[in-house]
Amino acid sequence: MPHPLLLDIAVWMTLPAPGPAPADVFTPTYVERALGGDRSAQRHLFHALLPHVQKKVNAVLVRRASAGGRRPVRQEVLDLTQDVFVALFEHDGRALRAWHPDKGASLPTWVGRVAEKRIISTLRTAKRNPWTETPTEAEAFERVVPALPSAHAKVASRQQLERVLDALRADLSEQAFALFVALFVEQQEVDAICAAHGMTANAVYIWRTRLKKAAKAALEAVSDAGVKDSSADARKAG
């Protein structure tokens, strides 16, 4: 399941900054306010740190891209940026609380160090590494539900797909399900989705990440249910 902080961070990324950053935003006192639950302080701190995190994400990805002969993809930048902010705010803000300005580093510098460690760790983990396969801006739904070769398997795959769609239809809002269909089933261009739903491209990319995770969770649930049903049938037959 997605990290519980991911929803807040995804929403903050779709919203503009709540005004100019307070003069004391990069101070221990302000960080403590944000970590103490002050929602306004959280958003101000997030937006003040966002360009520093994005700069670090881009720098690391560009180094990797140069070595691999390819360019970073916007979706990967967004995914890793969200991942870094989860690392900063999770565990009661442990990474942020570890910052001590008396040791010489400013908050943006400290966050940049945390971000680089997190990104490199993520990229070294094959399961979470976006560089282990060639990405596209709109992946087909078959990337979530892999196609199976035999005729029997194709029927089973279609039935599984229908069950996953039913589960998503039940769990998602009407708008979210419509976005899922546009992105993964119809594979519409992002510009067309923006025009149809009155959304920014950044918001569409963020929803794409969330919906892909929701689809994977639904697929796992459907698969688990299928295994249980098969086991029950086998016991009855025995």
Side-chain angles (χ1 to χ4, degrees):
M1 293 295 291
H3 195 287
L5 283 170
L6 189 59
L7 178 58
D8 280 342
I9 292 167
V11 170
W12 292 341
M13 289 188 75
T14 66
L15 298 174
D24 62 341
V25 68
F26 291 150
T27 65
T29 302
Y30 199 89
V31 170
E32 191 60 40
R33 276 181 56 194
L35 297 179
D38 185 323
R39 300 292 287 177
S40 175
Q42 289 172 356
R43 280 190 61 198
H44 274 295
L45 182 62
F46 169 82
H47 281 284
L49 290 173
L50 182 59
H52 301 283
V53 171
Q54 289 178 324
K55 181 179 179 180
K56 183 61 67 174
V57 169
N58 274 298
V60 175
L61 288 182
V62 166
R63 290 202 300 267
R64 293 267 176 158
S66 298
R70 50 164 293 185
R71 294 183 304 168
V73 175
R74 179 177 181 175
Q75 184 59 44
E76 292 160 356
V77 175
L78 289 171
D79 288 349
L80 286 170
T81 298
Q82 292 181 60
D83 192 50
V84 168
F85 275 104
V86 168
L88 291 171
F89 281 94
E90 68 182 348
H91 305 307
D92 195 31
R94 183 168 59 196
L96 287 171
R97 292 183 193 279
W99 168 61
H100 299 288
D102 55 341
K103 293 184 178 180
S106 66
L107 182 58
T109 298
W110 174 259
V111 165
R113 293 172 184 169
V114 173
E116 184 160 11
K117 289 180 180 179
R118 177 75 171 204
I119 297 161
I120 291 173
S121 175
T122 298
L123 294 176
R124 284 175 177 167
T125 305
K127 184 178 179 181
R128 300 168 63 196
N129 188 349
W131 300 90
T132 57
E133 57 184 39
T134 302
T136 59
E137 289 296 346
E139 294 176 81
F141 187 61
E142 284 71 16
R143 293 290 295 276
V144 179
V145 183
L148 299 174
S150 69
H152 176 74
K154 288 180 180 178
V155 172
S157 181
R158 171 56 59 180
Q159 292 173 342
Q160 186 180 50
L161 172 58
E162 290 174 354
R163 289 195 292 269
V164 169
L165 290 175
D166 287 342
L168 289 172
R169 190 179 290 107
D171 291 342
L172 298 175
S173 67
E174 183 176 346
Q175 180 188 20
F177 185 74
L179 284 172
F180 178 84
V181 171
L183 282 165
F184 294 105
V185 179
E186 298 174 352
Q187 298 186 52
Q188 295 181 23
E189 295 294 331
V190 171
D191 289 346
I193 295 173
C194 291
H197 295 272
M199 302 172 68
T200 64
N202 193 51
V204 172
Y205 286 123
I206 290 170
W207 268 105
R208 178 179 175 274
T209 299
R210 293 165 59 188
L211 291 170
K212 184 175 179 181
K213 290 177 179 178
K216 287 185 176 180
L219 175 59
E220 289 173 2
V222 166
S223 299
D224 289 344
V227 169
K228 291 178 182 177
D229 290 343
S230 296
S231 298
D233 289 343
R235 285 195 297 271
K236 289 178 182 178

